[in-house]
Each structure stands twice: as C-alpha cells, then as structure tokens.
Amino acid sequence: MPVLSRTSSATHARASLGRGDGVTIYWRPGCPVCAKLRTALRGHGDRITWVNIREDADAAAFVRTTNRGGQEIVPVAVIDGVAHSRPTPRQVLAALR
C-alpha cells in the first residue's frame, strides 16, 4: 500500500497523517464494499472518521492520488499514515486495538 504524500490533496493528507487516535475511511454512497465494511465496523464508530467523497471534492482527489491510475476505488482506509485500498474489516479492527 502506498505511503501518503504530504502534497497529495493537502487538506486530507494532513488530517489523515496527523491523526493517531483512529482510522479515517473514505467511501461513497452506493458502494457495496463500503456498505459491507461499515456494517462490519459497527460499534467502533467513535474511533473511525467516515468521509463521503461525493460530498467533498478534496476527499475525492485524495482517493484518486492513493490509487493507481488515479482511480476512485473505495473504500480507502488511512491507518498510521498509510492508505489501504479496500481494506478488510480485520485490518481496520486490528488498527483500532
């Protein structure tokens, strides 16, 4: 998984890299993989920041910088400054422990 660049979509890169107390997950409505991840992570919402890329152009740009070819593949979880495209619930839960 790529390490986030501090220059990529600066607003979200700085926010994600600066957080040490949880996980940031970028998602979009209608994405079945996002819905499955969200369901699996119920009960941990206080430690996860969910960012809808359809409501935030900077977030969408950030997601495109983390995926090969500039694709908007979601979900993207930022864990300890590293972006994980399509993380498993197990990966996210491990980061929250």
Side-chain angles (χ1 to χ4, degrees):
M1 300 298 150
V3 174
L4 300 179
S5 163
R6 292 188 185 276
T7 59
S8 64
S9 190
T11 301
H12 287 280
R14 274 195 296 272
S16 297
L17 288 168
R19 292 194 57 170
D21 61 338
V23 173
T24 300
I25 299 178
Y26 296 86
W27 69 286
R28 75 169 162 255
C31 168
V33 178
C34 297
K36 182 178 176 183
L37 183 63
R38 193 171 203 130
T39 298
L41 297 174
R42 249 186 241 163
H44 299 280
D46 60 329
R47 298 183 57 211
I48 300 172
T49 301
W50 294 88
V51 180
N52 181 344
I53 68 168
R54 291 295 178 248
E55 294 178 353
D56 187 330
D58 286 338
F62 174 75
V63 166
R64 287 190 299 272
T65 67
T66 65
N67 290 298
R68 289 186 181 159
Q71 298 179 20
E72 266 186 16
I73 297 170
V74 289
V76 170
V78 178
I79 302 168
D80 294 329
V82 178
H84 302 269
S85 292
R86 296 214 170 162
T88 65
R90 183 176 291 177
Q91 284 177 291
V92 177
L93 289 171
L96 294 174
R97 289 190 182 107

